[in-house]
Amino acid sequence: MPELPEVEVLVRHLEPLLKNKVIQTVIVRREKVVQPTPPPNLTQTLLGSKFLRVQRRGKYLVFTLRQPVARRDYQLLGHLGMTGRMYLAPVSQEPPKHVPVEMHLGKLKFVFEDTRYFGRLTLDLSPLDELGPEPFEALFTGEYLRQALKGCRQAIKVKLLDQSLVAGVGNIYASEALFDAGISPRKAGGRLTVNETRRLAKSIQKVLLKAIKFGSTVPLNLEGSKKRNGLFYYGTAEGASEYYQERLRVYDKAGQACPKCKTPIRRFVQANRSTYHCPRCQR
DNA sequence: CACCATGTTCCTTG
DNA sequence: CCAAGGAACATGGT
């Protein structure tokens, strides 16, 4: 489940559910997911703490908690990796196969499920220091991109995955944004014209915002116990299939007609990841 | 068995 | 030190 829009939708979903809940039990089943915080350290810190708020920064979830006794506020950092999910469930519910961390909050429990264990739930906030601007903050403009890409010889698609350039864009929305802007994913970052960086900044915002709106509109299945169907990758609840159609325009659509010019969409590999584009619309 | 998968980090090479 | 490329991490789906 994880690029900026998915995390944003999840954060909005979790915020009211977690707010003011007190942690009564912490279960760490996979040390790796919590590191570099030692599990006993994490458990000791969290026990008795109350959730104050849930926010997003890039693809990270930032939980603010309060220890009532010490009267200390602190933050917990979450990341979903490739397959992470976070949701509330009845304490009595049977835990699924891969749940690295679980916290009991009265009759409900906060579940961090992650089949591949690439995600994180830790007290180490240092990854936040490496992040570039949020796509929706005022600083993020075509001019910013132009400056930041100066002298860059790496392909723009690959650069968009660099979280220090912009925070939150991942493999799906990188292809989508470049398609929307009509820019070749192969073009070196430093060779984009002023016009192109302006279009790209706008397209990134447009594509992410559209996805957030989609995720806030459609009934989602955030527990994700069902399989994904490739159209909305964290899965929708029943009866949402009509919304599916136009969500993504090029990602995972190799061989299908480009929505603008009908040329078949192509897939190729950059930096070990799939890129999708229209060879005619994106020069 | 082969290849693919929403992400990040580490190791090598130049 | 920097940039770039590739593999590793771990599990599951097709």
Side-chain angles (χ1 to χ4, degrees):
Chain A
M1 157 151 186
E3 292 181 42
L4 183 150
E6 292 75 25
V7 178
E8 178 64 28
V9 170
L10 176 63
V11 160
R12 290 180 192 180
H13 171 76
L14 287 179
E15 155 82 28
L17 298 178
L18 286 177
K19 193 167 182 147
N20 295 323
K21 295 280 194 307
V22 175
I23 300 172
Q24 288 151 351
T25 315
V26 179
I27 304 166
V28 178
R29 298 201 184 77
R30 222 8 121 112
E31 180 162 353
K32 183 208 170 210
V33 165
V34 142
Q35 72 188 15
T37 308
N41 186 333
L42 179 77
T43 302
Q44 195 188 2
T45 302
L46 290 178
L47 276 180
S49 292
K50 177 196 278 190
F51 282 95
L52 296 187
R53 56 190 310 192
V54 188
Q55 295 160 292
R56 180 192 60 72
R57 174 78 173 98
K59 301 173 194 172
Y60 290 89
L61 297 101
V62 183
F63 303 89
T64 301
L65 295 114
R66 173 170 296 170
Q67 289 182 331
V69 183
R71 285 194 209 138
R72 184 176 78 93
D73 290 357
Y74 64 97
Q75 293 181 319
L76 176 71
L77 193 66
H79 195 289
L80 299 169
M82 295 271 262
T83 53
R85 301 191 141 86
M86 294 181 183
Y87 54 89
L88 295 184
V91 168
S92 56
Q93 184 173 303
E94 199 66 25
K97 198 169 179 187
H98 305 288
V99 178
V101 183
E102 207 174 275
M103 300 176 206
H104 291 204
L105 318 160
K107 317 180 220 185
L108 293 177
K109 57 184 179 182
F110 177 48
V111 181
F112 179 26
E113 183 182 346
D114 186 4
T115 39
R116 289 169 76 178
Y117 301 103
F118 287 175
R120 280 284 185 287
L121 198 58
T122 174
L123 295 174
D124 173 30
L125 305 179
S126 63
L128 295 179
D129 300 339
E130 314 292 314
L131 297 179
E134 284 290 317
F136 301 119
E137 77 186 56
L139 173 74
F140 184 71
T141 60
E143 258 317 295
Y144 162 79
L145 274 184
R146 178 99 175 119
Q147 276 300 315
L149 291 171
K150 193 162 282 182
C152 166
R153 273 172 295 184
Q154 206 171 21
I156 185 61
K157 156 63 165 43
V158 176
K159 265 317 249 191
L160 284 180
L161 301 181
D162 177 352
Q163 300 300 294
S164 69
L165 180 69
V166 208
V169 176
N171 202 40
I172 293 177
Y173 298 106
S175 281
E176 292 294 318
L178 287 168
F179 172 75
D180 191 73
I183 297 167
S184 166
R186 291 189 169 92
K187 189 156 187 174
R191 305 190 61 147
L192 299 208
T193 65
V194 180
N195 250 303
E196 287 175 323
T197 55
R198 190 189 309 137
R199 259 154 48 210
L200 183 54
K202 282 200 192 300
S203 291
I204 288 170
Q205 297 177 160
K206 177 177 161 188
V207 156
L208 295 177
L209 204 58
K210 189 177 159 197
I212 293 170
K213 282 191 177 142
F214 176 88
S216 326
T217 307
V218 169
L220 297 177
N221 172 16
L222 296 170
E223 286 83 44
S225 38
K226 293 175 186 171
K227 1 183 161 171
R228 62 171 192 144
N229 52 28
L231 291 160
F232 200 84
Y233 65 60
Y234 44 92
T236 54
E238 294 302 320
S241 54
E242 316 85 58
Y243 295 89
Y244 275 179
Q245 308 294 330
E246 304 186 12
R247 242 246 324 148
L248 302 177
R249 302 204 279 171
V250 291
Y251 183 81
D252 205 20
K253 300 205 184 281
Q256 299 182 42
C258 165
K260 292 180 189 167
C261 77
K262 307 303 175 198
T263 299
I265 298 301
R266 288 215 194 138
R267 169 192 182 272
F268 69 102
V269 174
Q270 290 179 297
N272 280 323
R273 325 250 351 233
S274 292
T275 297
Y276 297 86
H277 78 307
C278 169
R280 179 157 172 221
C281 298
Q282 300 173 263
R283 312 246 58 232

